[in-house]
Amino acid sequence: MSFSADLGSSPIVTITGCVIVAIRDDLDDSAVMTLQNQLVDEIARKNAHGVIIDISALEIVDTFTGRMLAAMAEMSKVLNARTILVGMRPAVAMTLVELGMTLSEIETALNADKAMMMISAERDRARRE
Amino acid sequence: MNDETWTISLRKPADVAHARKIAMQALDAAGASAIVKTRFVTAVSEIARNAIVHASSGVMVIGMGRLNGNRSIIARCEDRGPGIVDTNAALKDGFSTGRGMGLGLGGSKRLVDRFELETRVGEGTTVVLETRLR
Amino acid sequence: MASDTIDIASILKSDFEKILSAWLRVQAREGIKRTDIISAEETAKQSRDLLSAIARAAEDARVDREFDFGNPAWDGVRQTLGEISKNRTERGVSPTEMAWFVSSLKQAFFTPLRELLSEEPSKLVEQITDATRVVDNFALHAFDCYVQEREAIIERQQSEMTEVSAPVVKIWDRIVTVPLLGTLDSFRAQTVMENLLQAIVEREAEVAIIDITGVSTVDTMVAQHLLKTAAAVRLMGAECVISGISPKIAQTIVHLGVELPNVVTRVDLQSGLAYAFERIGVSTRLNGL
């Protein structure tokens, strides 16, 4: 495990090839962009195969942040890493749906634990084959 | 009743986060539920960003009010931008003149109890958002 | 205001007890007959409270043509009226009885005014007009309070009923279900969604089953709500299954042209549950399920 970056207080941590980002409470637009850049760097540098984005601290996800999350998942995919979005609050989920933003292209899980299991299960399967 | 209002000048993207913070604090102080807070503040975020993206600057005033006998929160956002030529189209999902996907304006309308849009081409746009605290 | 002016302020000062007992007599005759709901003692107390508040306010505020109920001096009267309205609404007093309670105060004012101004008919007419306006304003405010209180009660009952009619149950480890009954309006749909999403967090559920067997009609709006709920469940990291899709509902959905992309649908709760077991990796062969 290694701490690679600490942006404000949104830490990016890599554990056994899986990048975990815990987004801190309310980022302004430029912080979101910086985070995106750092995440992509981290994936490439650590040759990570999985990305977990934890948004449990977020009370607000507007269309801008939603689009950034979708873009992060898309970029990770290009770098051959599977992205799972975890910890979305009920109020945030309902609001995004009302905005018409269902983020159907991003995988989701309840929490980082479950996402970690999903990613390592897939990796084990890949190894066996 | 509380007469306090907060004025936020909207010039740079960081001001959007500031508007969210002010709206959130006002709702926290009023004891609003998580869902009321998230819905309203998200709408505030969309409208504030619209003012910066389309009009390059604007002013938002947040205060408490009354809607149908219930306490409410009101956000009024005014800009001196180009205005909106076709408001019906702008409120439809998927309409966008900027970089977005066009979910912001119509989406915001669905997130609040009262939504008012007043726009004059070449003069500017005013959006009023209001939600009951319940 | 000259000290020899005769108006409701002056008579309240000089004849308070007389006005109060006259008012109570009028009420007994024409007002509230439901002593089972509000006892005579309570009525007497509420009447005294209100009349005292009016007497206090009338010392500072005007009660003539310039009467302005918006003046802060009347705050005490508004508050007392609000409390009485609230108390009476909760007991189930009818709107007519509520309106009579306040309006009957007029007659109590008229008697002393008539006695004191019997020599000056024009002044009497003036005073009666002013008193009427003042009391009418009180009555209107009382009625406003009454309606508001009634609305609050209805809203409270509605939300309580919704809670009861859409309980989210943890049916198995990591599986929650909500059986829907009756009609699904926007308000209920919203509450169901909130409850379901909250249960997913609290129970760490991976599958959420919405059983619509008991839903009377599925129209475009209901289908929209179900879709929104399914989308929100997925955003939270769980999977949504809609069970209880009868052949008739299946036909309706197709006819309406509603598409249910990325939503798992099953005929009944049993098949919905079987699917959920499969998803979380529980074998269903054991008890012949």
Side-chain angles (χ1 to χ4, degrees):
Chain A
M1 175 166 140
S2 64
F3 284 91
S4 309
D6 187 275
L7 176 93
S9 50
S10 290
I12 298 181
V13 185
T14 304
I15 304 168
T16 59
C18 187
V19 181
I20 303 174
V21 199
I23 299 187
R24 77 173 154 96
D25 189 42
D26 208 29
L27 298 176
D28 68 33
D29 298 4
S30 63
V32 174
M33 301 294 279
T34 315
L35 183 67
Q36 191 176 45
N37 294 336
Q38 291 191 317
L39 179 66
V40 178
D41 277 356
E42 180 76 4
I43 298 168
R45 205 145 38 92
K46 300 283 170 67
N47 196 15
H49 60 272
V51 177
I52 296 171
I53 305 174
D54 187 340
I55 56 163
S56 57
L58 290 188
E59 279 183 274
I60 308 294
V61 175
D62 61 2
T63 53
F64 179 83
T65 310
R67 276 197 292 277
M68 283 304 138
L69 292 170
M72 284 188 210
E74 195 58 39
M75 290 169 194
S76 311
K77 200 166 155 194
V78 176
L79 294 166
N80 198 28
R82 176 184 177 188
T83 302
I84 303 179
L85 185 67
V86 307
M88 188 183 290
R89 296 185 183 195
V92 172
M94 290 170 77
T95 302
L96 278 180
V97 168
E98 208 63 74
L99 282 170
M101 196 166 225
T102 52
L103 299 175
S104 49
E105 62 287 355
I106 311 183
E107 263 192 280
T108 54
L110 276 176
N111 50 42
D113 261 7
K114 294 197 177 177
M116 202 72 187
M117 280 195 284
M118 284 158 72
I119 289 173
S120 55
E122 189 197 65
R123 202 189 192 191
D124 291 348
R125 221 177 302 126
R127 272 206 193 117
R128 257 180 271 124
E129 277 160 15
Chain B
M1 233 177 281
N2 194 347
D3 295 319
E4 196 175 350
T5 58
W6 297 268
T7 305
I8 304 119
S9 117
L10 303 167
R11 291 174 196 285
K12 48 190 190 303
D15 295 335
V16 178
H18 184 57
R20 285 199 295 262
K21 198 175 148 199
I22 298 289
M24 188 58 93
Q25 280 169 353
L27 285 164
D28 271 333
S33 70
I35 184 71
V36 167
K37 283 195 286 187
T38 299
R39 287 175 76 107
F40 188 78
V41 179
T42 305
V44 162
S45 189
E46 297 297 332
I47 298 304
R49 183 172 286 105
N50 268 347
I52 293 172
V53 170
H54 297 289
S56 75
S57 80
V59 174
M60 184 176 272
V61 180
I62 295 174
M64 310 309 282
R66 260 187 183 276
L67 186 63
N68 305 332
N70 290 287
R71 282 198 308 146
S72 65
I73 182 162
I74 306 170
R76 183 190 173 86
C77 184
E78 227 177 305
D79 70 48
R80 299 242 167 270
I84 301 166
V85 179
D86 186 346
T87 48
N88 282 334
L91 284 167
K92 220 181 263 168
D93 285 351
F95 179 88
S96 175
T97 56
R99 284 159 289 166
M101 289 195 311
L103 299 172
L105 211 51
S108 304
K109 188 180 177 179
R110 288 194 295 272
L111 290 177
V112 296
D113 293 335
R114 184 172 75 95
F115 179 93
E116 268 173 34
L117 176 74
E118 210 186 295
T119 185
R120 264 169 224 260
V121 176
E123 287 177 33
T125 303
T126 302
V127 177
V128 179
L129 309 169
E130 182 168 9
T131 285
R132 283 176 294 158
L133 300 177
R134 262 166 290 230
Chain C
M1 231 177 283
S3 56
D4 57 351
T5 309
I6 290 171
D7 60 9
I8 39 179
S10 76
I11 59 169
L12 273 170
K13 219 179 239 168
S14 56
D15 295 301
F16 183 89
E17 291 301 328
K18 225 168 103 186
I19 295 170
L20 179 61
S21 53
W23 184 22
L24 288 171
R25 271 198 307 280
V26 180
Q27 284 185 53
R29 198 169 65 232
E30 310 194 42
I32 294 147
K33 299 174 185 79
R34 300 282 300 275
T35 44
D36 55 328
I37 301 182
I38 313 266
S39 72
E41 292 77 38
E42 272 175 292
T43 299
K45 190 189 171 295
Q46 288 179 348
S47 305
R48 180 178 287 279
D49 287 350
L50 183 58
L51 204 59
S52 310
I54 296 169
R56 264 195 308 277
E59 281 178 20
D60 303 320
R62 303 187 67 153
V63 288
D64 56 8
R65 205 160 294 137
E66 304 288 310
F67 168 75
D68 172 18
F69 200 33
N71 185 334
W74 295 106
D75 283 356
V77 175
R78 266 196 299 274
Q79 198 188 337
T80 311
L81 277 171
E83 281 160 14
I84 296 173
S85 279
K86 188 171 188 308
N87 174 284
R88 296 194 165 214
T89 318
E90 278 166 0
R91 311 269 192 100
V93 166
S94 78
T96 321
E97 286 164 333
M98 189 63 220
W100 253 114
F101 168 70
V102 182
S103 294
S104 58
L105 178 57
K106 267 185 242 173
Q107 299 185 42
F109 281 147
F110 292 166
T111 319
L113 286 174
R114 220 176 285 142
E115 281 167 15
L116 292 164
L117 293 169
S118 55
E119 306 292 312
E120 295 164 283
S122 67
K123 271 196 179 163
L124 176 62
V125 171
E126 198 182 307
Q127 282 309 319
I128 286 186
T129 315
D130 289 345
T132 305
R133 228 183 101 226
V134 170
V135 176
D136 281 350
N137 265 283
F138 297 161
L140 279 176
H141 182 74
F143 201 71
D144 269 354
C145 293
Y146 179 87
V147 171
Q148 260 179 38
E149 193 54 39
R150 276 284 270 263
E151 272 170 7
I153 290 174
I154 291 167
E155 203 168 296
R156 204 161 58 228
Q157 285 172 341
Q158 195 179 22
S159 83
E160 278 164 9
M161 231 150 69
T162 311
E163 295 285 303
V164 174
S165 62
V168 182
V169 187
K170 179 180 170 183
I171 199 167
W172 200 269
D173 184 34
R174 289 174 287 158
I175 304 174
V176 290
T177 180
V178 55
L180 297 182
L181 299 170
T183 49
L184 198 64
D185 58 28
S186 294
F187 179 79
R188 264 198 73 202
Q190 189 77 11
T191 316
V192 167
M193 200 197 290
E194 275 183 59
N195 291 351
L196 187 64
L197 299 188
Q198 199 52 47
I200 289 172
V201 177
E202 281 163 14
R203 315 284 187 157
E204 291 202 17
E206 286 173 21
V207 185
I209 307 173
I210 303 176
D211 186 66
I212 61 166
T213 310
V215 173
S216 42
T217 45
V218 173
D219 53 17
T220 321
M221 197 210 67
V222 171
Q224 278 306 336
H225 280 306
L226 291 173
L227 269 180
K228 279 186 184 173
T229 308
V233 166
R234 196 202 70 85
L235 277 173
M236 289 192 50
E239 195 174 352
C240 189
V241 180
I242 299 174
S243 70
I245 310 253
S246 66
K248 196 174 150 242
I249 290 178
Q251 279 176 314
T252 317
I253 289 176
V254 174
H255 278 308
L256 288 172
V258 177
E259 283 180 47
L260 299 165
N262 311 319
V263 179
V264 177
T265 50
R266 287 292 182 270
V267 177
D268 51 25
L269 185 55
Q270 187 179 330
S271 1
L273 194 55
Y275 173 83
F277 279 148
E278 195 186 300
R279 291 300 294 172
I280 64 164
V282 171
S283 167
T284 52
R285 272 176 302 165
L286 278 173
N287 299 317
L289 248 177

